Amino acid sequence: MLPCSESKQAEPLPPHKTRAKCTPEYIDRKIYPLCVLRIYIAAHPRTWLLLAILSLQFLLLLSLRFLPVSMVPRRFSPPTDASVGGTNSTCGYGRVYVYDLPVMFNKELIDDCESLNPWNSRCEALSNGGFGRPAADRLTDLVPEDLRPAWFWTDQFAAEIIYHNRMLGHRCRTMDPNAATAFYVPFYGGLAVGKYLWSNYSAKERDFHCEMLLRWIRDQETWKRFSGWDHFMMLGRITWDFRRSKVEDWGGGFLYMPGMKNVTRLLIERNPWDDLDVGVPYPTGFHPRTDTDLRSWQSYVLNRTRTSLFCFAGATRSAFKDDFRSALLQQCASAGDACRSVDCSGTRCSNESSATLELFLDSEFCLQPRGDSFTRRSIFDCMIAGSIPVFFWRRSAYLQYGWHLPEDPGAYSVFIDRGGVKNGTSIKAVLESLGTEKIQKMREKIVEYIPKFVYASPKEGLEGVDDALDVAVEGVLRRFQQRKKGR
């Protein structure tokens, strides 16, 4: 290093008003190192220029870590591991204890599958852990060969069984109740109540299993600690099937029973005004076995050539005055080749039919009016196929699946006021006005979210991706952890 001697070439240091020798004897001890640095820089300009460039490059690379990155490739590229449904979380919100219930509350209900429905057997629909029969033999022309084993004829009311089987192998399961943040109650309430929804069954018969369950669980020490605030269930039917307020009304009264006043419940359709209800996706037929299955399907639907602008799958409701579905079918018919429809009044839309899958795969948009209730399984069948849903009721999705759908409804769907449709608004004109680029962006957003709509095949879930069940479980754990912190 150069000696710190007086030099005429050295510039005076800015903090000083008068010239001074660059030695400890003449300047303050704190300023002396700066003086030395200034002289050294003047003597070695190239060295310091190189160091400055390297420093700028380091700062630039560091800043890139904090820049927002698009979660979906701009055009026609399948999402990578980091862009499909999360990062396979590691139970940061806690762990789940799974109750071992008496068999009358789950296994015996499946064993009695022949009598769960007054019209036909439910045994095939509930087989294969709730996935139903394999569908590969009828999907030859629709699904790539390597993905066909991941498809089943899954029933829309089979989620209770699917959740139970997955929870037994879930990465956040604990066998120690004292280590649990949440307690999962594997009660097949939908099967128990669904058996008695039709014919002349009494309210007592409809509520029998539910009352017995609450009687059993109230005796558990783990329940007594917080009176059920840290407990949750999966009920595989819509919330309204469990909300009978009068003896003569429809459904069971499970959700109005005192023992359920604190319990969180996952449902395929929630009551938007009840915070204990959480909406989760209807089961569809696609159950990926691996992350590769998932990425392959995303790539397939993203690149699929679609021959129709929009489509509608459903049956008219002649019993309803001014049936809205009739208006949709009329608009579809008047749109010519721009629209295709499937009449679901017969068996064409049954669990073991590929007609709706083909329809959605070939269409840019799918019309989604309300079903028997405000939601439909068709919403998720549509999005799994990469088709963009068109809603006419906000309660069909926007107030239902907050943990599983994009926060911005306009990013993945179109909303058209049903009153406008009845008064002549052209659905075709509205959809055509969006333009090719906007439609592609919406499809990319749906493809990004497909992992959050599917229930994976392995009991332990997928390796690097969170599916619909993982999202629901993490949401429950997060909710319970926040409750405990707030106590």
Side-chain angles (χ1 to χ4, degrees):
M1 182 177 287
L2 292 174
C4 189
S5 60
E6 180 179 271
S7 172
K8 294 181 180 181
Q9 296 178 347
E11 292 291 331
L13 294 174
H16 296 278
K17 297 180 180 179
T18 59
R19 293 181 180 272
K21 291 183 178 181
C22 187
T23 65
E25 291 80 15
Y26 286 89
I27 62 176
D28 182 85
R29 187 177 304 173
K30 294 180 180 179
I31 303 299
Y32 179 67
L34 297 177
C35 175
V36 174
L37 182 63
R38 177 178 290 276
I39 296 172
Y40 187 75
I41 291 174
H44 300 79
R46 293 182 180 179
T47 301
W48 282 95
L49 179 61
L50 178 61
L51 288 174
I53 293 172
L54 291 174
S55 298
L56 286 173
Q57 289 179 335
F58 175 74
L59 290 172
L60 180 60
L61 289 172
L62 187 65
S63 67
L64 287 175
R65 295 178 58 191
F66 303 99
L67 291 176
V69 180
S70 175
M71 293 299 288
V72 183
R74 177 65 188 89
R75 283 267 184 186
F76 304 106
S77 298
T80 61
D81 287 342
S83 67
V84 285
T87 56
N88 204 263
S89 57
T90 55
C91 310
Y93 293 106
R95 296 190 175 275
V96 181
Y97 179 80
V98 180
Y99 277 106
D100 184 12
L101 296 182
V103 293
M104 69 171 293
F105 299 120
N106 41 51
K107 183 178 182 300
E108 280 187 359
L109 290 166
I110 296 181
D111 291 343
D112 193 30
C113 56
E114 290 286 352
S115 61
L116 286 178
N117 187 309
W119 299 286
N120 49 52
S121 170
R122 298 273 288 145
C123 295
E124 285 193 350
L126 303 179
S127 63
N128 288 320
F131 290 167
R133 293 200 313 111
D137 58 334
R138 299 190 191 178
L139 300 178
T140 304
D141 298 327
L142 288 178
V143 176
E145 183 177 1
D146 59 325
L147 292 176
R148 288 173 206 157
W151 281 84
F152 296 80
W153 302 121
T154 304
D155 188 88
Q156 64 177 342
F157 297 133
E160 294 163 342
I161 306 170
I162 294 172
Y163 270 73
H164 188 189
N165 285 333
R166 280 287 308 281
M167 289 305 303
L168 292 176
H170 198 272
R171 62 179 178 272
C172 294
R173 182 188 180 189
T174 177
M175 305 301 289
D176 179 7
N178 294 316
T181 300
F183 293 83
Y184 169 61
V185 184
F187 172 46
Y188 298 171
L191 299 185
V193 171
K195 178 177 179 178
Y196 302 102
L197 288 177
W198 292 271
S199 301
N200 294 319
Y201 288 107
S202 66
K204 185 176 182 180
E205 289 173 304
R206 281 177 266 169
D207 293 341
F208 172 75
H209 285 86
C210 300
E211 290 177 343
M212 292 294 291
L213 173 81
L214 293 178
R215 194 175 303 173
W216 180 86
I217 205 166
R218 280 196 297 263
D219 291 334
Q220 309 305 310
E221 292 300 321
T222 46
W223 173 274
K224 294 176 183 178
R225 288 187 296 188
F226 298 111
S227 300
W229 275 114
D230 51 0
H231 284 56
F232 74 102
M233 301 180 185
M234 197 301 141
L235 300 175
R237 301 187 69 91
I238 62 175
T239 189
W240 317 109
D241 289 345
F242 304 96
R243 292 182 176 273
R244 188 193 68 249
S245 55
K246 298 178 182 178
V247 171
E248 64 273 15
D249 288 347
W250 167 267
F254 190 33
L255 298 187
Y256 290 141
M257 294 178 184
M260 288 296 291
K261 66 179 181 180
N262 300 330
V263 178
T264 294
R265 46 269 186 166
L266 309 177
L267 300 133
I268 53 178
E269 178 175 329
R270 67 182 289 260
N271 177 355
W273 299 278
D274 189 338
D275 288 339
L276 292 175
D277 278 10
V278 176
V280 297
Y282 281 76
T284 65
F286 181 46
H287 303 284
R289 301 157 296 176
T290 63
D291 296 19
T292 301
D293 275 359
L294 190 55
R295 290 193 297 271
S296 295
W297 180 255
Q298 287 176 296
S299 178
Y300 176 64
V301 299
L302 192 61
N303 291 281
R304 175 89 176 182
T305 299
R306 299 175 188 267
T307 56
S308 301
L309 177 64
F310 65 106
C311 68
F312 174 60
T316 58
R317 303 294 172 87
S318 57
F320 293 91
K321 184 180 179 180
D322 297 326
D323 176 34
F324 185 70
R325 294 185 175 201
S326 295
L328 295 183
L329 285 170
Q330 290 172 8
Q331 288 233 10
C332 187
S334 64
D337 293 339
C339 182
R340 291 175 54 196
S341 65
V342 170
D343 184 355
C344 294
S345 57
T347 59
R348 291 198 67 195
C349 301
S350 64
N351 280 344
E352 300 200 6
S353 170
S354 61
T356 55
L357 176 59
E358 181 178 8
L359 186 73
F360 296 147
L361 283 171
D362 289 343
S363 303
E364 301 278 9
F365 297 89
C366 58
L367 308 185
Q368 295 296 339
R370 59 172 291 174
D372 294 327
S373 58
F374 282 97
T375 65
R376 310 170 75 201
R377 167 180 158 158
S378 177
I379 293 169
F380 292 98
D381 288 334
C382 157
M383 292 192 291
I384 290 293
S387 190
I388 302 165
V390 180
F391 295 118
F392 307 92
W393 279 264
R394 297 189 185 278
R395 286 169 62 185
S396 291
Y398 304 154
L399 302 180
Q400 287 292 332
Y401 310 105
W403 292 354
H404 294 82
L405 291 178
E407 186 175 352
D408 177 15
Y412 73 96
S413 69
V414 176
F415 181 81
I416 303 177
D417 182 75
R418 58 190 178 280
V421 174
K422 289 181 178 180
N423 291 326
T425 297
S426 169
I427 296 174
K428 178 183 176 183
V430 171
L431 300 181
E432 286 178 335
S433 69
L434 295 174
T436 303
E437 185 174 356
K438 172 65 174 175
I439 292 172
Q440 181 62 26
K441 286 183 178 179
M442 295 170 77
R443 174 158 299 106
E444 288 173 353
K445 178 59 66 175
I446 287 173
V447 169
E448 176 191 344
Y449 271 72
I450 283 178
K452 296 185 177 183
F453 307 153
V454 300
Y455 295 99
S457 177
K459 287 187 177 181
E460 63 276 10
L462 299 175
E463 290 185 7
V465 184
D466 289 342
D467 72 347
L469 183 140
D470 292 321
V471 171
V473 170
E474 181 173 314
V476 168
L477 287 166
R478 182 173 61 247
R479 169 182 284 196
F480 289 175
Q481 188 181 86
Q482 291 169 350
R483 280 180 183 170
K484 289 183 178 180
K485 287 182 178 180
R487 285 181 179 272

